[in-house]
Amino acid sequence: MWSRCGRPVHLVDKNPAQLERASREIQKLRQAWPLASLPGDRSNTEWGIATMTSLDDLEGAMKKSWLAIECVPETRTLKRTVLQELDTLAPADVIVASNSSSFTISELLQGLKLKAPDRFASIHSYWPPETTPVEIMGAESTRPEIIEQLMIESKVHGFQPFHVRQTSTGYIYNRIWAAIKRETLQVLDEGVATPEEIDSLFKAVLQTPKGPCAQMDTVGLDVVLAIEEHYAEERKDLPEAPRTYLQKMIADGKLGVKSGEGFFKYE
Ligand SMILES: NC(=O)c1ccc[n+]([C@@H]2O[C@H](COP(=O)([O-])OP(=O)(O)OC[C@H]3O[C@@H](n4cnc5c(N)ncnc54)[C@H](O)[C@@H]3O)[C@@H](O)[C@H]2O)c1
């Protein structure tokens, strides 16, 4: 997406095998989604070059960039280390963003010694190019112009940007989706309905292809639990029953699609 307007993109990963996989994946995506089929600015019809950059060349890449997005695994300490490093290496006018799904940028910046704390934001994607929304969220220290620039640039690049107007764990969509998952688990725990019944009802009413139980199976029940535990750390008012229900399923080896069984069975 970020290379669709002719600008170069530097992909940086500590694992060279991942860069090769990324390169192959980008080629596949470019073939499946030709430029003409993507929304956004069409003034430049050439793909930008996607350069595979080793960690040693990170500083050089930062000097040529206007935006750096960290996408390292979802661990608070690792994300903080990487954000601190990016702040040290990036010239002060480079925007530094996090793609974290569950940590707000305010939380990640806590305790860091930053030379330019006003240039940080969260920019959370779904599954582009198929699903184009991105949610953009600042910290208390973020300059408003940074948010404005990210809203404009992401739109130009074919994303559908939404501004998260307050610090919000889970952004907008994931937070509402978390409430649906939580209540689904509560309904199951109370024996009100079966997974089959919940998904059939949900699909029939909302005219959507997947119900919440199948969707949780796809994500993985261990991941669903980790996300819910993070919400529960912040919000003491959340019920415990949904987490206990998930813990029992996980203890029985039911992790969803990846283990062959969750709420449903998989081949
Ligand atoms: N998977 C999704 O659908 C999705 C969607 C939206 C946001 N996210 C967010 O994106 C981030 C990454 O998730 P993922 O699923 O792509 O994880 P992943 O584990 O598939 O990829 C993480 C990559 O980071 C690399 N890495 C690890 N430590 C590094 C370091 N110190 N320096 C450079 N590279 C390093 C790894 O080699 C790996 O290639 C998470 O914050 C997640 O919340 C994921």
Side-chain angles (χ1 to χ4, degrees):
M1 294 296 276
W2 290 111
S3 70
R4 67 164 316 290
C5 292
R7 292 187 195 161
V9 172
H10 302 270
L11 289 173
V12 186
D13 199 293
K14 70 170 188 181
N15 180 355
Q18 284 288 80
L19 286 178
E20 280 164 32
R21 284 178 60 188
S23 183
R24 285 197 297 274
E25 206 56 42
I26 288 167
Q27 291 316 319
K28 273 199 251 163
L29 283 170
R30 285 180 174 185
Q31 276 161 16
W33 297 83
L35 274 177
S37 72
L38 292 173
D41 183 8
R42 298 236 174 94
S43 53
N44 193 326
T45 51
E46 290 291 313
W47 290 107
I49 300 161
T51 315
M52 307 298 135
T53 306
S54 81
L55 262 189
D56 301 337
D57 297 330
L58 179 58
E59 186 167 8
M62 296 293 279
K63 286 196 177 131
K64 291 180 246 161
S65 302
W66 66 274
L67 168 67
I69 308 178
E70 73 75 18
C71 302
V72 296
E74 194 70 350
T75 313
R76 202 189 270 115
T77 44
L78 175 60
K79 293 219 172 258
R80 284 193 172 144
T81 308
V82 170
L83 288 171
Q84 179 73 67
E85 190 185 359
L86 292 178
D87 182 66
T88 308
L89 296 179
D93 59 344
V94 175
I95 299 174
V96 180
S98 170
N99 187 36
S100 171
S101 303
S102 59
F103 301 117
T104 65
I105 190 68
S106 307
E107 180 178 357
L108 291 173
L109 296 186
Q110 271 167 32
L112 301 187
K113 293 207 165 35
L114 302 165
K115 81 177 170 212
D118 59 353
R119 42 90 165 255
F120 285 85
S122 296
I123 176 159
H124 185 244
S125 56
Y126 292 83
W127 305 277
E130 196 171 354
T131 315
T132 53
V134 281
E135 294 188 48
I136 294 167
M137 176 167 69
E140 292 68 22
S141 56
T142 310
R143 261 184 296 131
E145 305 89 87
I146 300 276
I147 301 295
E148 226 170 279
Q149 191 181 349
L150 285 174
M151 293 290 287
I152 292 168
E153 288 287 356
S154 52
K155 196 163 184 187
V156 165
H157 285 80
F159 290 106
Q160 198 184 343
F162 293 87
H163 179 204
V164 184
R165 294 169 190 277
Q166 302 288 337
T167 289
S168 169
T169 298
Y171 302 82
I172 306 167
Y173 177 80
N174 279 346
R175 189 167 154 188
I176 293 168
W177 169 233
I180 295 171
K181 286 183 288 184
R182 192 176 298 129
E183 205 57 30
T184 299
L185 292 160
Q186 187 90 33
V187 163
L188 285 165
D189 185 57
E190 290 171 16
V192 175
T194 66
E196 288 79 4
E197 289 163 346
I198 292 171
D199 277 22
S200 297
L201 182 59
F202 201 86
K203 287 193 281 188
V205 174
L206 291 184
Q207 300 289 306
T208 175
K210 234 178 193 178
C213 296
Q215 189 67 43
M216 282 191 265
D217 272 355
T218 306
V219 171
L221 300 189
D222 51 338
V223 178
V224 173
L225 176 62
I227 294 168
E228 182 60 8
E229 278 173 342
H230 185 235
Y231 283 114
E233 253 176 53
E234 284 198 357
R235 287 179 47 188
K236 301 297 169 207
D237 59 319
L238 295 184
E240 244 181 83
R243 277 168 279 150
T244 312
Y245 194 89
L246 283 172
Q247 278 157 357
K248 275 192 225 139
M249 289 188 73
I250 293 165
D252 289 342
K254 294 180 184 168
L255 300 184
V257 176
K258 62 184 165 191
S259 74
E261 187 175 356
F263 297 109
F264 304 107
K265 286 200 166 128
Y266 300 89
E267 292 286 309

